[in-house]
Amino acid sequence: MSLSTITALSPLDGRYAPKLAALRPIMSEHGYMHRRVQVEVAWFIALSDAGFAEFKPLTTGARAYLLGLVKNFSEADAAAIKEIEKTTNHDVKAVEYWIKSKFEARPELEKASEFVHFACTSEDINNTSHALQLRSGRDQVILPGLDRIMLKLREMAHAFADVPMLSRTHGQTASPTTVGKEMANVLMRLQTACEKIAAVKIMGKMNGAVGNYNAHLSAWPEFDWEAFSKKVIETPEPLGLGLTFQPYSIQIEPHDYMAELFDAVARANTILIDLSRDIWGYVSLGYFKQRLKAGEIGSSTMPHKVNPIDFENAEGNLGLANALLKHLSEKLPISRWQRDLTDSTVLRNMGVALGYATLAYASLLTGLNKLEINEEALAEDLDASWEVLAEPIQTVMRRFGVQGAYEKLKEVTRGKTVTAEALHGLIQSLEIPQAEKDRLLAMTPGSYVGKAAELARRV
């Protein structure tokens, strides 16, 4: 059976493949190989500038050629490396051999070929490549996807700032809010979560087999290899990697920053699961209608249905993403003694975890863009819930020292169908200033929203 979007084992590469086009070049094995080539080239060029008599500075033409290998790295190049790997049975060594093969007929580079992968352990190349992948995945896909959702939530917060909505604490009628304020609540939570994601320092190390520069110092004992490594890692691209230097490690970079990043993404995803479920509920209550799409079918047997499938899809995929992100953050910082290989296969699933998150963001945004406010349903719900005004009435009663205010309102309203007339009769009987009576009599469930509109507009 040939591999295609229909035969793919993962739905990310099958059913949902077109929706992940932006992530695939970054987090796929092709993307991993590309970054390995980038790291090897950056290290090689930097070695030529280190002042070693045995490796003179490269010419401008040689540098341009090497950087071109990175810039123009193609799917065919990745396939060529995979072909070499069939012989080496070692993926990093295959990258090294591929780079050396590109030196043929270039005497300057052929002469210096043994400085490719010089003093490096495979993990020096792998950890920095993973870091470059994660930085690009975060900055080019994850954060922009979340930004688009935040932009939509801000738009909804402002557009619906004044649209009153019944709250439902514990699933029961409660003090009203506005639709816009509820969107603002989510926006502010998500904004904080995104700041945490963006703030994670993406780290890398290039310090040898157990983190001590053993091989490096065996070649040039007097050279400051730690400073050199830090320079390669922290110098901006393309001559460096533009990462944060990790000074202490075993054979592998500790992966604590990865755990921090994955936990931060999972936190944002949890907020979006909360949003997806709430919107699903509001659609069920009729607060929102969903814009129809020509030809779309909601149910195979019930023609009337317009299901909230985008929010259900988002919730499901966010759950999958978080399950993987949780495992990644719990497993990756653990390595037996100076190194074991249990992280290797797990790391290859980083793109899967981020893929499910990316898919969920797209589904959620699609769902939000389909929503149409149903002010009539919102108003009807509020008009059937006059009991929510028990709160302001008893609060004003307490202000003026009316004894047993809470208890009196509880007796009138708890578990009962409350009408405007019943509340107005109670208000008229109160021993409070007439101006306060008039203010309470003018109040409706739809007007009792506090600072909700102001707060919604502020975001």
Side-chain angles (χ1 to χ4, degrees):
M1 182 180 289
S2 62
L3 181 62
S4 69
T5 54
I6 295 176
T7 62
L9 190 60
S10 167
L12 296 180
D13 293 318
R15 182 180 185 89
Y16 304 125
K19 297 182 178 180
L20 295 167
L23 192 65
R24 192 167 289 107
I26 300 169
M27 300 303 301
S28 63
E29 188 167 11
H30 172 275
Y32 190 20
M33 289 181 184
H34 188 184
R35 296 310 170 195
R36 281 165 160 167
V37 171
Q38 179 183 350
V39 173
E40 293 278 15
V41 166
W43 184 256
F44 183 77
I45 292 174
L47 284 170
S48 83
D49 291 330
F52 302 136
E54 295 83 352
F55 190 8
K56 301 298 184 183
L58 292 165
T59 62
T60 301
R63 292 167 191 266
Y65 175 74
L66 289 167
L67 294 175
L69 294 179
V70 178
K71 183 178 180 180
N72 303 316
F73 189 81
S74 66
E75 193 171 339
D77 293 328
I81 293 173
K82 289 298 288 184
E83 192 63 29
I84 296 170
E85 189 185 339
K86 290 179 182 179
T87 301
T88 63
N89 197 30
H90 195 289
D91 48 2
V92 178
K93 206 66 179 174
V95 172
E96 177 188 341
Y97 287 173
W98 178 82
I99 292 173
K100 287 180 176 178
S101 76
K102 295 297 181 179
F103 290 2
E104 292 175 7
R106 292 179 174 273
E108 179 186 359
L109 294 176
E110 282 186 313
K111 182 181 177 182
S113 63
E114 287 309 308
F115 285 97
V116 177
H117 200 70
F118 183 81
C120 291
T121 185
S122 296
E123 189 57 25
D124 287 337
I125 310 304
N126 288 343
N127 89 93
T128 45
S129 297
H130 284 134
L132 291 168
Q133 285 182 287
L134 285 174
R135 186 182 64 192
S136 295
R138 176 189 67 179
D139 296 349
Q140 296 177 30
V141 180
I142 295 298
L143 286 175
L146 292 169
D147 284 343
R148 286 188 285 272
I149 292 171
M150 288 194 291
L151 187 65
K152 182 61 182 180
L153 291 173
R154 182 172 285 107
E155 175 190 308
M156 294 175 72
H158 294 168
F160 306 138
D162 294 303
V163 179
M165 181 180 84
L166 187 67
S167 294
R168 292 180 180 273
T169 60
H170 307 282
Q172 311 299 310
T173 57
S175 303
T177 181
T178 71
V179 176
K181 172 55 168 42
E182 296 313 294
M183 298 303 109
N185 290 342
V186 181
L187 171 61
M188 295 309 293
R189 293 176 66 195
L190 195 56
Q191 190 169 293
T192 298
C194 286
E195 289 169 358
K196 299 288 187 185
I197 295 171
V200 175
K201 293 179 180 179
I202 309 297
M203 306 191 77
K205 72 97 186 177
M206 295 190 78
N207 53 16
V210 292
N212 301 330
Y213 305 95
N214 304 48
H216 309 68
L217 290 168
S218 71
W220 278 283
E222 306 304 321
F223 187 72
D224 190 345
W225 284 104
E226 184 176 12
F228 176 79
S229 177
K230 181 176 182 179
K231 183 178 180 181
V232 174
I233 286 171
E234 296 197 338
T235 296
E237 298 174 282
L239 294 179
L241 305 180
L243 303 170
T244 299
F245 179 62
Q246 172 61 271
Y248 286 88
S249 79
I250 51 176
Q251 185 175 115
I252 66 170
E253 196 283 328
H255 300 333
D256 294 328
Y257 87 85
M258 289 185 176
E260 184 182 356
L261 176 62
F262 296 145
D263 285 341
V265 174
R267 194 173 305 120
N269 291 349
T270 298
I271 293 167
L272 294 182
I273 290 173
D274 195 24
L275 172 64
S276 297
R277 291 177 178 175
D278 278 359
I279 297 292
W280 187 96
Y282 294 144
V283 170
S284 178
L285 290 171
Y287 290 177
F288 288 109
K289 298 177 183 178
Q290 296 180 98
R291 198 172 294 112
L292 300 178
K293 184 177 180 181
E296 196 171 79
I297 293 172
S299 167
S300 60
T301 60
M302 295 174 281
H304 67 284
K305 296 193 77 177
V306 184
N307 297 327
I309 55 173
D310 298 302
F311 300 103
E312 293 168 342
N313 182 285
E315 181 183 344
N317 285 309
L318 288 164
L320 279 168
N322 278 9
L324 287 166
L325 291 167
K326 180 179 180 181
H327 179 67
L328 288 166
S329 69
E330 289 180 349
K331 188 274 155 296
L332 291 176
I334 298 171
S335 183
R336 293 177 184 86
W337 295 342
Q338 283 70 50
R339 205 277 194 264
D340 70 52
L341 267 177
T342 54
D343 67 322
S344 179
T345 189
V346 174
L347 283 163
R348 292 180 186 275
N349 288 276
M350 296 189 303
V352 180
L354 298 183
Y356 280 116
T358 301
L359 182 61
Y361 302 160
S363 295
L364 181 55
L365 185 62
T366 297
L368 291 173
N369 282 324
K370 285 183 183 178
L371 294 179
E372 294 179 344
I373 197 80
N374 186 352
E375 293 195 43
E376 183 179 345
L378 287 159
E380 287 177 358
D381 214 12
L382 285 162
D383 197 46
S385 305
W386 281 80
E387 65 272 14
V388 299
L389 295 185
E391 180 185 54
I393 294 170
Q394 66 99 4
T395 303
V396 172
M397 290 168 67
R398 290 168 71 136
R399 172 190 168 186
F400 289 101
V402 178
Q403 295 298 308
Y406 177 86
E407 289 72 21
K408 289 180 181 179
L409 267 297
K410 177 181 173 183
E411 183 180 339
V412 173
T413 62
R414 194 174 191 220
K416 299 178 182 179
T417 299
V418 179
T419 64
E421 291 75 20
L423 285 180
H424 288 173
L426 175 64
I427 292 168
Q428 293 286 17
S429 70
L430 297 177
E431 294 182 3
I432 60 175
Q434 186 60 44
E436 295 302 320
K437 288 185 181 181
D438 293 342
R439 191 166 61 85
L440 290 173
L441 289 168
M443 192 177 291
T444 68
S447 68
Y448 180 54
V449 294
K451 292 183 65 168
E454 177 189 337
L455 291 167
R457 289 195 192 91
R458 190 187 297 170
V459 298

